[in-house]
Amino acid sequence: MQVRFYQPETRFADDPQACLLGLVSQCYERGERVAWLVDDSATAALVDRRLWETPADSFIPHQISGQDDDQACPVLILPSPHAPGARPVVINQRSAAVTTAAERVLELIPGDPSGQQQARQRWRAYQARGIKPELVRL
């Protein structure tokens, strides 16, 4: 499993979520199925709304989990405790590290101290499992 932590420093400093929206757009263009993990239904609704708005010139098919056609949807938003299933790419916005199998896990390092502390804990959790995370500064 490849794990990348994205740290917005300049380009996405004002809107870190835009970094993840750009990444999910790239995944969709490559035909990769994505599970977007969030902690709660309020955050899931926020991600859903942002995906409806971004990118402005196209549409990324997505939905919040719990519908009959979840498996057919290219981008599935999963509030806790839903598991991602067999999706090659996982965007993790949960407070805990991803423990299910995936080819790639994309993590965001938020700008706030609490979010940064949680990111450090997830980084160490991956290392404890023998995974060497990568850091990408944007």
Side-chain angles (χ1 to χ4, degrees):
M1 175 175 7
Q2 177 189 55
V3 178
R4 281 198 178 129
F5 280 78
Y6 292 85
Q7 184 173 25
E9 293 180 338
T10 54
R11 185 171 169 203
F12 298 106
D14 293 337
D15 186 8
Q17 187 89 26
C19 171
L20 296 178
L21 293 166
L23 292 171
V24 77
S25 179
Q26 290 173 8
C27 291
Y28 176 68
E29 289 171 9
R30 289 191 296 260
E32 297 173 315
R33 296 168 45 78
V34 177
W36 192 321
L37 308 182
V38 295
D39 280 323
D40 53 50
S41 57
T43 306
L46 211 133
V47 169
D48 177 54
R49 183 174 52 86
R50 290 293 304 268
L51 282 168
W52 276 105
E53 298 169 352
T54 308
D57 59 344
S58 65
F59 174 69
I60 298 171
H62 68 279
Q63 67 189 35
I64 297 173
S65 68
Q67 300 176 30
D68 291 338
D69 60 347
D70 279 356
Q71 293 306 314
C73 189
V75 177
L76 190 59
I77 305 163
L78 297 124
S80 188
H82 297 284
R87 300 250 171 176
V89 180
V90 175
I91 294 176
N92 187 32
Q93 277 194 282
R94 291 186 183 167
S95 51
V98 173
T99 57
T100 57
E103 292 174 20
R104 291 186 301 141
V105 175
L106 312 177
E107 296 267 2
L108 179 68
I109 301 174
D112 65 285
S114 174
Q116 291 173 351
Q117 182 60 30
Q118 287 180 349
R120 284 185 196 97
Q121 291 170 349
R122 291 192 308 272
W123 182 286
R124 286 191 291 268
Y126 291 121
Q127 285 180 321
R129 291 174 31 213
I131 299 167
K132 184 179 178 184
E134 298 175 45
L135 176 62
V136 178
R137 290 189 165 102
L138 304 170

